[in-house]
Amino acid sequence: MIKITKDEIRILLYMVVAVAILACLPLLDQGYILSLGLTIVMYVALCTAWVLFSGPTHYISLATAAFFGLGTYVVGIGIDVLPFPILLIIAALIGGVVSGLVGIATLRLSGVYFVIFTLGMAELIRQIVTWIQTNFTTGIGLYVLTDFSEAHIYWMLLALTVLIFITGWLINRSRLGFAMRIIGNDETVAAHVGIDSAKAKVLLFLISGAYIAVIGAILAPRFAYIEPPSAFNPMISFLVVIMSLMGGTRTLWAPLIGVVPFTLLFDMVSARFPNHSSILLGIAFLLIVYLIPDGLIGRIEGITKRFSKKKERTHE
Amino acid sequence: MSKPVVLKVNSATKRFGGLLAVNNLDFEVTEHEVLGLIGPNGSGKTTVMNLISGALKLSSGEIRLEEKIVSDLPAYKISQLGISRTFQLVKILPTLSVIDNVISGGVFGYHRMWGENAEETALHLLKKVGLAALAFKPTEQLTYIDQKRLELARALAGNPKLLLLDEWLAGLNPTELQIGIELIHSLRAEGRTIILVEHVMDAIRSLCDRCVVMSSGVKIADGEVAETLKNPEVIRAYLGDSDA
Amino acid sequence: MEIIITGILLGGAYALIAVGLTIQYGVARIMNLATGETLVASCFCTFWMFNSLKINPILGIFLIAPAAFILNWAIYSLLLLPLVRRAKNKAMLEVDSILATFGILFLLEGLMLVGFGGEYFSYSFLSTSYTIAGTAYGLNRIVAFLAAVLITGTLYVFLTHTRYGTSVRAVAVDPAAAGLVAINVDRVSAFAFALGGVVTAAGGTLLSTFYTFNASMGVVFTMKALIIVIMGGVGDVRGAVIAALILGIAETATATLIDPGLTIAATYFLFILILLFRPQGLFGRQTT
């Protein structure tokens, strides 16, 4: 389980090629397509970071918007004082500390407590930030003025996505990943072979939260003007859940399959029928539960399996 | 010459609501000893195993592993301190391969290993329990006895100070039973310290140095096997009162 | 004192929402995240009946209740029961029901947004003042509180003193065992889910008499109801009532003494205390 297999090398090569091709996008277009590409890469990064935790644990985290908002705020507050890379590190630290604390408070208990806690978390942090800003600072909004173009942000996000993938791969090969597989099989056995399952889950949630905060930080220059309602928009949390589950959560790259079509669809619907976007989310959730519980990846695997079985039969 | 005590159970009591499952139980296990814990159905044996491994918490009393109180610790810490177990109803990790099932017992517990070292140890254990040929197979194909063997290999992977076998021989056919008893014999020969909950009396006679007999949550006898099994109170507990 | 009375009056409406949810979760074992939308939908119904049909909100409850009952029964039987049947274990049902009720949440919210837009609504009903201990309180708040007490009381008597109520409680304790003593578990679960919906809808009607509401505020109420349910202990009607009053007072105190913008923070503060010290609920027994 420690040696690198041939399959892994092949996947690595594919990834290098894919990333190289994607990195060329800003050279082709600087307008609408790049902007759309940026949104897609943002959701790919968010979903991958989300699946890092929610995939193996099956805990539905709705805290994405909270960590994302924290990240943007770190940049909003510090941009005039500190260099951007340092702000990214600070965002990771704050995201990690907050997710770690939330994890310690909730992950010892059943999944429901965790979902409820994360459900209102973006709103909670938004209220606290607004309160601090109105009472202790001069205004609510923050300007983030940088020299970054959309292309720069796109490249940074793409690089971060690669980093998240590598992290996920390393976790999978580590004791932590092994522990998560055992927990996923049987939590009683896990405890009796010496695994502190609460600690493992907290650690994973911490890593995921830190990455999400960094994604928020990278995107701050795109917003240029940051205020609590847009930075802590709960919609982000729900979209990430839908896209990830739509793709599938058993592998890190499965969410990709959900992100691209759903981003396009949601972008179109919310532009043309802004009042109908909630209905779309509702339908998406119901669709996932009733028709594609294993995600599109599960569907695809099912079809290919049936296909190869048929093939075998015709060969006999 | 007294051997060092590995496990000491002191007035252990466990209540489930109004039911007193284990009542003021005392016993000890010394190093290299194989102790049989026996008694009729419902006498509280498995509850005792669960209390020792930390799956359940004591209502009162204490359990010590080499002087250290372990009864207030969570199960994973008890495992890390050197107590391994098998389960009455076999618990295999279905999506892991056979060898990964074994390795899982040795990564986070008392004696820790990882990487090639872990794989070697796991292969060695699989050979010992007779599963070497299936090492890299999925667990789906395992028969019942193979699952039991696998669970035993997993429990041994952490090289525990104390091994708890909860009805490990139950449900095996006569041939398998012979193999099973021999396997535990080999563990005994290695000098392992074991507590055995068992219904198979032949196994108790041939494997155990000593046995503790429970009935309705209370210890009714404790001593050398053959002698204890002749104890009238033990016979009454198993067969019922002849006057009744 | 003023804070306590205002808090208790607010807690009355919270109690109904939370009692509705605790019955749904405790008996039907569905964590209904769309409960806030049931509440808001009921607010809009009451508003519409009051404005266009001139129906008194208190009487309106008698029209809304049967509608809520039928709707929630249908939701349970058509959407949720298949999930209960397909779930292999408790954790799977949890994830499935969370996702399914999210779907219902957004669907309802979307429909209300399309129907009424995102603005805030309110109407004027019994908006005269009434003086208790030297301070004036809205008469509508007091009437709503008394109605809430009456509804909760009736429900409590139903659950503890009738045959059907006892079978509902039996399913809450152990569905498998309840099935063995000839209780139709699926039907009782559907009934409990529908009953919970009715109580929540009644809460919405009462709330709308003194509260400004809009189509997208459901989630906040779901949040509060969930936290009250956990505080009171899942399935515990008395616990939910007491927890609701505590939350009402805590929120009012935060709003008056610190900042009205921090009510969620107050809710979370209580939630964290519960998680850290009494995760089994205020009155729940330790389950070890």
Side-chain angles (χ1 to χ4, degrees):
Chain A
M1 57 192 344
I2 283 311
K3 279 169 254 155
I4 297 174
T5 63
K6 268 186 190 158
D7 271 354
E8 280 172 325
I9 293 174
R10 211 177 55 212
I11 291 171
L12 184 75
L13 285 177
Y14 287 151
M15 232 176 96
V16 171
V17 174
V19 170
I21 293 171
L22 288 173
C24 295
L25 178 71
L27 306 177
L28 302 173
D29 183 278
Q30 292 278 352
Y32 175 69
I33 294 180
L34 176 61
S35 174
L36 196 62
L38 180 52
T39 309
I40 289 177
V41 176
M42 173 184 102
Y43 279 116
V44 168
L46 285 173
C47 290
T48 317
W50 187 85
V51 170
L52 220 50
F53 168 75
S54 294
T57 58
H58 300 293
Y59 281 28
I60 295 171
S61 162
L62 294 165
T64 313
F67 302 137
F68 184 89
L70 280 175
T72 48
Y73 257 83
V74 167
V75 173
I77 292 167
I79 193 70
D80 297 329
V81 195
L82 291 166
F84 194 66
I86 302 225
L87 292 177
L88 295 187
I89 293 167
I90 296 175
L93 288 176
I94 291 181
V97 168
V98 173
S99 54
L101 290 176
V102 172
I104 290 168
T106 56
L107 289 172
R108 294 173 301 136
L109 308 162
S110 92
V112 172
Y113 294 80
F114 175 76
V115 177
I116 297 170
F117 198 94
T118 58
L119 171 65
M121 225 183 98
E123 180 68 15
L124 167 72
I125 296 182
R126 188 185 68 80
Q127 278 198 353
I128 295 173
V129 168
T130 313
W131 182 68
I132 292 173
Q133 285 192 315
T134 41
N135 286 284
F136 304 104
T137 62
T138 45
I140 296 267
L142 290 168
Y143 287 95
V144 181
L145 302 172
T146 58
D147 302 330
F148 294 130
S149 67
E150 287 217 313
H152 292 122
I153 299 171
Y154 176 86
W155 281 320
M156 280 193 278
L157 272 182
L158 201 59
L160 187 71
T161 310
V162 172
L163 200 62
I164 298 173
F165 266 97
I166 293 172
T167 311
W169 179 69
L170 288 175
I171 290 175
N172 232 344
R173 295 160 52 87
S174 73
R175 286 162 211 244
L176 178 59
F178 191 47
M180 287 318 299
R181 281 202 294 283
I182 297 168
I183 294 169
N185 267 284
D186 191 324
E187 204 141 339
T188 316
V189 172
H192 283 97
V193 297
I195 296 171
D196 182 351
S197 58
K199 191 172 134 197
K201 290 174 193 166
V202 171
L203 207 59
L204 219 50
F205 191 52
L206 186 152
I207 296 170
S208 162
Y211 271 120
I212 293 172
V214 175
I215 299 168
I218 291 179
L219 276 149
R222 190 194 199 194
F223 299 136
Y225 180 71
I226 300 171
E227 50 179 356
S230 60
F232 296 98
N233 178 6
M235 203 53 100
I236 294 177
S237 308
F238 290 109
L239 285 174
V240 166
V241 174
I242 290 176
M243 291 172 183
S244 308
L245 293 177
M246 200 166 262
T249 58
R250 269 177 301 170
T251 61
L252 268 189
W253 53 271
L256 274 173
I257 306 171
V259 171
V260 180
F262 201 80
T263 309
L264 297 176
L265 184 68
F266 191 75
D267 195 62
M268 194 188 79
V269 170
S270 46
R272 290 198 200 158
F273 317 98
N275 271 340
H276 291 69
S277 55
S278 291
I279 297 183
L280 178 66
L281 290 190
I283 293 171
F285 268 117
L286 295 175
L287 205 70
I288 289 169
V289 179
Y290 295 101
L291 295 180
I292 42 171
D294 289 329
L296 288 170
I297 185 82
R299 274 281 146 134
I300 296 169
E301 275 171 8
I303 291 168
T304 47
K305 233 180 234 166
R306 227 176 302 155
F307 191 68
S308 58
K309 254 187 202 159
K310 249 186 211 164
K311 241 184 180 173
E312 268 169 40
R313 227 173 286 148
T314 48
H315 275 290
E316 270 166 25
Chain B
M1 185 194 85
S2 74
K3 282 191 272 179
V5 174
V6 176
L7 189 85
K8 195 170 167 59
V9 176
N10 269 337
S11 32
T13 301
K14 177 66 186 175
R15 275 182 212 91
F16 293 110
L19 178 78
L20 202 53
V22 176
N23 187 3
N24 221 2
L25 183 74
D26 292 290
F27 70 86
E28 286 181 359
V29 187
T30 55
E31 202 174 10
H32 309 308
E33 186 177 33
V34 178
L35 175 81
L37 184 59
I38 61 174
N41 283 325
S43 57
K45 304 174 305 269
T46 291
T47 307
V48 173
M49 295 297 239
N50 285 335
L51 290 170
I52 297 171
S53 75
L56 293 172
K57 288 274 153 282
L58 281 173
S59 304
S60 65
E62 60 172 36
I63 298 171
R64 286 168 185 269
L65 177 70
E66 295 178 337
E67 296 303 305
K68 186 176 164 51
I69 297 181
V70 294
S71 44
D72 51 2
L73 298 175
Y76 76 88
K77 283 224 172 103
I78 294 176
S79 159
Q80 288 172 359
L81 289 171
I83 298 182
S84 284
R85 71 172 294 179
T86 64
F87 295 90
Q88 190 178 8
L89 302 166
V90 191
K91 287 181 189 286
I92 295 293
L93 305 167
T95 71
L96 267 55
S97 68
V98 168
I99 191 165
D100 279 354
N101 261 277
V102 179
I103 293 174
S104 77
V107 179
F108 313 94
Y110 171 53
H111 181 85
R112 299 186 183 203
M113 53 193 191
W114 184 243
E116 280 175 30
N117 176 18
E119 208 159 294
E120 261 167 46
T121 315
L123 276 175
H124 174 74
L125 286 170
L126 282 170
K127 201 176 285 168
K128 184 193 197 105
V129 300
L131 282 180
L134 299 170
F136 296 96
K137 293 278 186 318
T139 53
E140 290 164 5
Q141 314 169 353
L142 295 186
T143 59
Y144 185 67
I145 186 178
D146 285 349
Q147 292 186 12
K148 292 221 144 192
R149 286 166 156 165
L150 179 56
E151 218 187 16
L152 181 63
R154 181 175 73 206
L156 289 170
N159 193 18
K161 288 179 194 159
L162 174 66
L163 179 63
L164 309 176
L165 300 180
D166 194 353
E167 298 201 18
W168 192 78
L169 296 167
L172 303 184
N173 67 33
T175 343
E176 292 170 345
L177 194 61
Q178 245 4 82
I179 301 171
I181 290 176
E182 269 165 37
L183 195 54
I184 300 178
H185 251 298
S186 71
L187 297 179
R188 184 193 151 89
E190 277 175 18
R192 292 214 173 266
T193 313
I194 301 174
I195 300 181
L196 206 67
V197 163
E198 208 48 75
H199 278 299
V200 184
M201 281 302 157
D202 286 345
I204 298 285
R205 283 202 183 86
S206 68
L207 290 171
C208 297
D209 301 298
R210 196 159 60 87
C211 68
V212 168
V213 189
M214 287 180 73
S215 176
S216 310
V218 185
K219 181 169 94 172
I220 54 171
D222 181 349
E224 194 268 324
V225 178
E227 220 169 277
T228 309
L229 293 180
K230 277 183 234 151
N231 182 329
E233 210 179 333
V234 174
I235 295 169
R236 193 159 50 233
Y238 269 93
L239 301 176
D241 212 323
S242 54
D243 302 331
Chain C
M1 187 63 198
E2 196 188 332
I3 291 172
I4 293 176
I5 294 180
T6 315
I8 289 177
L9 292 180
L10 180 64
Y14 283 174
L16 282 185
I17 307 159
V19 165
L21 186 66
T22 208
I23 292 173
Q24 290 184 331
Y25 189 41
V27 182
R29 299 207 155 47
I30 297 287
M31 170 64 78
N32 182 7
L33 295 170
T35 191
E37 272 55 40
T38 312
L39 172 93
V40 178
S42 164
C43 288
F44 275 111
C45 279
T46 317
F47 170 78
W48 176 74
M49 290 197 304
F50 183 72
N51 269 359
S52 19
L53 306 173
K54 302 280 172 268
I55 295 175
N56 180 317
I58 304 292
L59 295 177
I61 291 181
F62 293 98
L63 294 173
I64 289 175
F69 190 88
I70 293 167
L71 190 71
N72 279 282
W73 185 293
I75 288 178
Y76 184 82
S77 317
L78 298 178
L79 291 176
L80 302 173
L81 194 56
L83 298 182
V84 176
R85 295 221 170 107
R86 126 181 149 189
K88 288 191 199 101
N89 53 45
K90 198 171 149 250
M92 259 182 84
L93 178 60
E94 239 164 41
V95 172
D96 276 351
S97 61
I98 285 168
L99 295 177
T101 53
F102 265 142
I104 300 169
L105 181 166
F106 281 109
L107 211 55
L108 285 177
E109 186 191 332
L111 292 174
M112 288 189 286
L113 272 175
V114 171
F116 294 90
E119 296 84 38
Y120 278 90
F121 288 82
S122 67
Y123 58 93
S124 155
F125 170 72
L126 291 182
S127 50
T128 47
S129 66
Y130 184 84
T131 310
I132 305 172
T135 322
Y137 300 93
L139 186 60
N140 44 19
R141 282 180 187 250
I142 295 166
V143 170
F145 179 75
L146 293 177
V149 171
L150 196 69
I151 294 170
T152 320
T154 315
L155 188 73
Y156 190 72
V157 170
F158 165 74
L159 288 176
T160 49
H161 286 81
T162 65
R163 214 179 131 81
Y164 206 75
T166 307
S167 61
V168 171
R169 283 187 298 136
V171 174
V173 174
D174 188 340
L180 294 178
V181 294
I183 292 173
N184 184 339
V185 177
D186 286 352
R187 216 169 83 205
V188 171
S189 296
F191 173 80
F193 193 83
L195 183 67
V198 169
V199 177
T200 304
T205 301
L206 295 177
L207 190 76
S208 72
T209 60
F210 63 89
Y211 203 92
T212 31
F213 49 92
N214 80 348
S216 42
M217 72 168 192
V219 178
V220 175
F221 277 90
T222 305
M223 220 16 250
K224 288 176 184 170
L226 289 168
I227 290 171
I228 293 169
V229 167
I230 290 172
M231 243 165 98
V234 171
D236 183 343
V237 172
R238 273 177 308 175
V241 171
I242 293 167
L245 296 181
I246 294 175
L247 186 70
I249 294 169
E251 260 189 21
T252 314
T254 313
T256 346
L257 302 176
I258 309 173
D259 191 313
L262 285 178
T263 48
I264 294 270
T267 314
Y268 260 86
F269 182 67
L270 284 177
F271 190 26
I272 291 172
L273 289 183
I274 289 288
L275 285 179
L276 294 181
F277 300 110
R278 288 199 72 84
Q280 73 277 26
L282 285 176
F283 310 101
R285 264 193 304 158
Q286 206 93 35
T287 49
T288 43

